[in-house]
Amino acid sequence: MRMRPTLSWTPTGELPPGTTDLEPVVDAVRAGGVLVLSGAGISTESGIPDYRGEGGSLSRHTPMTYQDFTGDARARRRYWARSHLGWRTFGRARPNDGHRAVAAFGRAGLLGGGVITQNVDGLHQAAGSEGVVELHGGLDRVVCLDCGDTSPRRELARRLEEANPGFDPVPAAINPDGDADLTDEQVAGFRVMPCVVCGGVLKPDVVFFGETVPAERVERCRELVRGAASVLVLGSSLTVMSGLRFVRQAAQAGTPVVIVNRDPTRGDTLAAARVALPLGKALTSVAERLGVDVG
């Protein structure tokens, strides 16, 4: 039986309450050596919705899974039609105050551990953060499942535009994975492009739900956790194990974990505090208190 990936969680006990006191974040960043672990919530202020917050996409949308994408040509056509449209929105998105604050902390030498992001939007890098580990890959790249060739997404976008002239349906919404909400009628007849090298199946260079994060990438993240003085979780519900495991690793090693997320998370019981404030405002305030120029 095919198992669906974990998309939600229900607390089994009482969670510690969130706070609006930024002091735990200020103390962690001031001490330096911080490892940032970011999720979709840090990009909502850039116009990219998250999965599980208020109005999150999972309330109306089931993300594409690796099993569906690789096993069903119709699912691939539906995905590429929707993602081609969603890519236009991602291409227009710009870093917000949260991304800029994280980059500023890095420039100030406070992020000894660097940045691990669960996001595929590239906004941390666009804000100036260096050494970002894209846990789930990036939408700006495409990989061939047959020959392994990797190419820029913009090249595929150009080919799809040429193969589908006039394709410009109005989506109901854009989702955090770049997938636009379209009906079956809207995607009917959409032409999918093969790999230019071998004619094989193209896939965005992202980790779909139900797919395994590459082992070497996981180990790189574990190394960052081992070297961090603290872990600062920004805008992640930690529902999926791909991010939660690093919080568990930190907690088991006695490394302090601080979470900034307006809603409860699966890692709250492992954290020293969860600050329930909007990320952009919260991180800008932290920067001001520390005298860090966000720019």
Side-chain angles (χ1 to χ4, degrees), residues 233-257:
V233 180
L234 303 176
S236 176
S237 68
L238 300 172
T239 295
V240 295
M241 189 55 65
S242 64
L244 179 63
R245 60 182 147 194
F246 303 122
V247 170
R248 287 180 172 176
Q249 176 188 345
Q252 289 168 0
T255 303
V257 175

Side-chain angles (χ1 to χ4, degrees), residues 66 69-70 76 79-80 136 141-145 149 156 201-208 211:
Y66 181 77
F69 185 89
T70 57
R76 287 195 294 275
Y79 174 83
W80 278 120
H136 296 154
R141 302 180 300 276
V142 179
V143 63
C144 176
L145 295 180
D149 181 69
L156 177 62
V201 173
L202 293 177
K203 172 184 173 290
D205 193 13
V206 300
V207 177
F208 282 155
E211 187 176 3

Side-chain angles (χ1 to χ4, degrees), residues 14 49 55 71 74 82 85 217 236 245 269 277:
E14 185 175 350
R74 292 173 300 178
R82 294 158 58 127
L85 197 63
R217 197 177 301 166
S236 176
R245 60 182 147 194
T269 57
L277 288 172

Side-chain angles (χ1 to χ4, degrees), residues 17-259:
T19 179
T20 57
D21 182 6
L22 281 171
E23 204 59 33
V25 184
V26 173
D27 289 344
V29 177
R30 179 187 288 120
V34 180
L35 172 62
V36 167
L37 172 60
S38 70
I42 198 170
S43 293
T44 56
E45 293 173 38
S46 293
I48 299 175
D50 64 10
Y51 285 109
R52 300 173 181 86
E54 183 178 353
S57 67
L58 289 184
S59 64
R60 53 175 168 72
H61 163 75
T62 299
M64 175 63 66
T65 67
Y66 181 77
Q67 293 77 13
D68 288 340
F69 185 89
T70 57
D72 187 343
R74 292 173 300 178
R76 287 195 294 275
R77 181 178 67 179
R78 183 171 62 252
Y79 174 83
W80 278 120
R82 294 158 58 127
S83 183
H84 177 55
L85 197 63
W87 172 247
R88 299 173 186 172
T89 297
F90 265 62
R92 292 192 296 267
R94 295 293 178 266
N96 61 52
D97 288 344
H99 299 111
R100 286 189 286 270
V102 171
F105 296 151
R107 290 192 299 271
L110 299 171
L111 300 186
V115 178
I116 300 172
T117 185
Q118 296 173 280
N119 300 337
V120 297
D121 52 39
L123 292 178
H124 277 299
Q125 297 92 317
S129 287
E130 298 181 354
V132 178
V133 178
E134 295 178 309
L135 187 61
H136 296 154
L139 275 177
D140 61 341
R141 302 180 300 276
V142 179
V143 63
C144 176
L145 295 180
D146 293 274
C147 73
D149 181 69
T150 301
S151 57
R153 177 65 176 266
R154 64 178 180 275
E155 293 182 5
L156 177 62
R158 176 186 55 79
R159 295 174 63 207
L160 289 173
E161 291 283 356
E162 294 173 353
N164 298 277
F167 180 76
D168 194 25
V170 178
I174 303 294
N175 303 305
D177 52 4
D179 188 4
D181 283 348
L182 298 175
T183 65
D184 289 342
E185 291 75 16
Q186 288 175 307
V187 304
F190 187 85
R191 292 185 59 200
V192 176
M193 291 291 98
C195 172
V196 296
V197 175
C198 73
V201 173
L202 293 177
K203 172 184 173 290
D205 193 13
V206 300
V207 177
F208 282 155
F209 281 90
E211 187 176 3
T212 302
V213 178
E216 63 275 11
R217 197 177 301 166
V218 173
E219 181 53 33
R220 172 58 181 153
C221 293
R222 290 198 181 281
E223 289 177 2
L224 291 175
V225 175
R226 286 193 287 269
S230 63
V231 174
L232 180 60
V233 180
L234 303 176
S236 176
S237 68
L238 300 172
T239 295
V240 295
M241 189 55 65
S242 64
L244 179 63
R245 60 182 147 194
F246 303 122
V247 170
R248 287 180 172 176
Q249 176 188 345
Q252 289 168 0
T255 303
V257 175
V258 178
I259 299 172

